[in-house]
């Protein structure tokens, strides 16, 4: 088969430019439109970036029509079955799965970096008692650059590596501290004898007054959820990290920007929104009425946890989470959870409804994750911080991939201007 070629033609003047084709290993090719403006004096227009690649990347591949998600070539379901979150973090950062020695060293490195500076811990007392943990997470992660400016030379690979370890190790400690601030309990120092997710559960739920035993089933459930959330190519928060990072800003500031972008209900905030939606519906008998409201565009109500910009088929993560959900609830003796029953009914009705079928709206990763989090005792406003902890791995990997690329340019989109044409200022007494 001959290599495809594409050109752009001005149909009036006949001016034509050939668009270079950028090929990857899987998925559609990209058309390089970088010279369209300088050669044809036009911009390309794609708000929402439905057809626009912002970069080349070797980290994650999604085929939205087939429901495929690969990290560095490995299907996410296989990784969730055979690996730990830390193992997957190593893979995402380094491109290959670690051998036993490499995993041990990486794991030890992450464990060694879990503590945060004592003055940083004091920041939490400055937040109002009812501050949303995502607000605290954004602020505190942004301020990390004030503590670790010894390793923010973006050009130094060793600095980048230390940043990666620090960021991945400290984000659970920061999230747990935000939770403790929210519920008015003393902060718990990390226990580096514990694995990543056990440590997080310990920091959230232990209190100094009594011993705390981490439930290994709960820790493994969290580990699987974190694997599924670890990366998702150029989603809104990752693109935000890349855009902020493209200016050369310090990496902690770039990650804070990503956390802020994740918070929105169209993105990572959806897991919190799903639980709120289930609470509002309240009972299986009210599902048909709710679905009617969703289908009525004037209501402005969406079925949260449904739909995805890229997946036009089942989100592969949602399938795994659904199974995990049943497993966790059974283990905790909560298999008759009314919210799970409600979610399943909602899913069943939506999947059989023409409105959702025609638009290819399927459950996404956030539809069931909140039910597991809730069963594990994690409060609703901590759901999005959980997502942020896992996605930190992806953000860090993308930042490193971008910053190490010698062809990096500042991300600076253009616009089609729709404001007034040039005009003169009329002095204020004549307006
Ligand atoms: N409920 C009802 N209708 C929907 C929904 C939904 N959840 N999602 C999309 N639609 C409709 C939308 O109204 C539009 O209909 P029409 O063609 O008649 O105008 C059509 O489907 C296409 O929607 P869109 O808004 O153009 O799609 P998008 O790719 O811009 O948005 C989305 C993707 C995820 C923001 C959207 O599906 C949504 O708001 N879902 C609910 C929020 C959610 O669950 N977000 C989590 C996404 S997965 C985790 C993550 O990425 O963080």
């Amino acid at each position: 088969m001959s290599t495809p070629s594409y050109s752009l033609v001005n149909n009036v003047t006949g001016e034509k430019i050939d668009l270079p084709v950028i090929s990857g290993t899987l998925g559609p090719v990209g058309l390089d439109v970088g010279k369209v403006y300088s050669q044809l004096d036009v911009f390309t227009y794609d708000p929402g970036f439905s057809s626009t690649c912002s970069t080349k990347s070797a980290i994650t591949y999604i085929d939205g029509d087939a429901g495929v998600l690969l990290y560095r070539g490995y299907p996410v379901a296989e990784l969730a079955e055979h690996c730990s979150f830390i193992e997957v973090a190593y893979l995402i950062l380094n491109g290959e799965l670690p051998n036993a020695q490499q995993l041990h060293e990486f794991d030890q490195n992450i464990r060694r970096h879990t503590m945060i500076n004592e003055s940083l811990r004091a920041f939490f007392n400055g937040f109002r008692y009812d501050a949303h943990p995502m607000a605290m997470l954004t602020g505190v992660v942004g301020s990390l650059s004030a503590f670790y400016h010894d390793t923010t030379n973006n050009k130094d690979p060793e600095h980048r590596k230390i940043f990666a370890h620090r960021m991945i190790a400290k984000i659970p400690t920061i999230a747990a501290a935000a939770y403790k601030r929210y519920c008015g309990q003393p902060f718990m120092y990390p226990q580096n004898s514990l694995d990543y997710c056990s440590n997080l559960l310990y920091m959230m739920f232990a209190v100094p007054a009594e011993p705390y035993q981490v439930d290994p089933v709960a820790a493994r459930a969290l580990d699987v959820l974190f694997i599924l959330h670890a990366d998702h190519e150029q989603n809104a928060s990752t693109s935000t990290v890349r855009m902020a990072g493209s200016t050369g800003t310090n990496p902690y500031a770039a990650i804070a920007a990503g956390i802020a972008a994740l918070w929105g209900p169209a993105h990572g905030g959806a897991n919190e929104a799903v639980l709120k939606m289930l609470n509002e519906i309240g009972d299986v008998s009210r599902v048909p009425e709710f679905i009617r409201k969703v289908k009525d565009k004037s209501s402005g109500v969406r079925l949260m946890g449904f739909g995805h910009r890229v997946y036009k088929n089942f989100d592969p993560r949602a399938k795994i989470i659904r199974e995990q959900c049943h497993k966790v609830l059974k283990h905790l003796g909560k298999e008759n959870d009314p919210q799970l029953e409600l979610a399943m009914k909602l899913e069943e009705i939506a999947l059989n409804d023409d409105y959702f079928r025609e638009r290819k709206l399927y459950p996404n990763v956030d539809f069931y994750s909140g039910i597991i989090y809730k069963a594990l005792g994690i409060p609703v406003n901590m759901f999005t911080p959980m997502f942020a902890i896992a996605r930190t791995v992806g953000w860090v990997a993308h930042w490193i991939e971008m910053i190490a690329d010698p062809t990096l340019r500042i991300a600076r989109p253009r616009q089609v201007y729709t404001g007034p044409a040039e005009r003169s200022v009329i002095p204020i007494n004549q307006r």
Side-chain angles (χ1 to χ4, degrees), residues 246-408:
S246 77
T247 67
T249 189
N250 77 75
Y252 299 105
I255 300 294
I259 295 173
L262 184 76
W263 194 359
H267 193 9
N271 52 17
E272 183 174 335
V274 169
L275 248 276
K276 286 187 179 151
M277 174 186 77
L278 294 176
N279 283 337
E280 269 165 40
I281 300 172
D283 188 77
V284 171
S285 63
R286 295 185 56 204
V287 170
E289 175 197 332
F290 180 76
I291 293 281
R292 263 195 304 281
K293 217 192 286 174
V294 168
K295 285 157 56 177
D296 170 11
K297 288 284 171 60
S298 65
S299 73
V301 176
R302 283 201 164 192
L303 178 50
M304 300 311 286
F306 255 70
H308 198 275
R309 168 61 60 80
V310 182
Y311 293 119
K312 301 301 169 197
N313 197 328
F314 247 91
D315 178 339
R317 304 167 299 174
K319 276 191 196 163
I320 304 168
I321 290 191
R322 195 177 194 272
E323 275 167 35
Q324 199 68 24
C325 200
H326 286 284
K327 212 185 273 178
V328 171
L329 292 179
K330 189 156 182 243
H331 168 75
L332 298 170
K334 297 180 182 172
E335 61 262 63
N336 295 324
D337 182 90
Q339 270 177 332
L340 178 63
E341 199 196 332
L342 189 55
M344 283 168 54
K345 189 73 192 164
L346 206 51
E347 183 193 33
E348 183 197 315
I349 293 185
L351 289 177
N352 287 305
D353 190 297
D354 282 348
Y355 174 95
F356 297 91
R357 280 148 70 129
E358 280 160 14
R359 291 170 179 77
K360 298 190 174 161
L361 301 170
Y362 292 90
N364 61 48
V365 69
D366 288 326
F367 192 67
Y368 283 103
S369 61
I371 296 174
I372 305 188
Y373 287 141
K374 192 179 147 239
L376 297 179
I378 293 167
V380 175
N381 63 3
M382 280 300 289
F383 291 0
T384 313
M386 291 287 140
F387 192 157
I389 295 172
R391 187 54 58 83
T392 293
V393 167
W395 292 331
V396 167
H398 280 273
W399 177 81
I400 291 177
E401 182 177 60
M402 178 195 69
I403 221 78
D405 178 354
T407 66
L408 168 69

Side-chain angles (χ1 to χ4, degrees), residues 69 74 310 333:
L69 169 61
Y74 295 104
V310 182

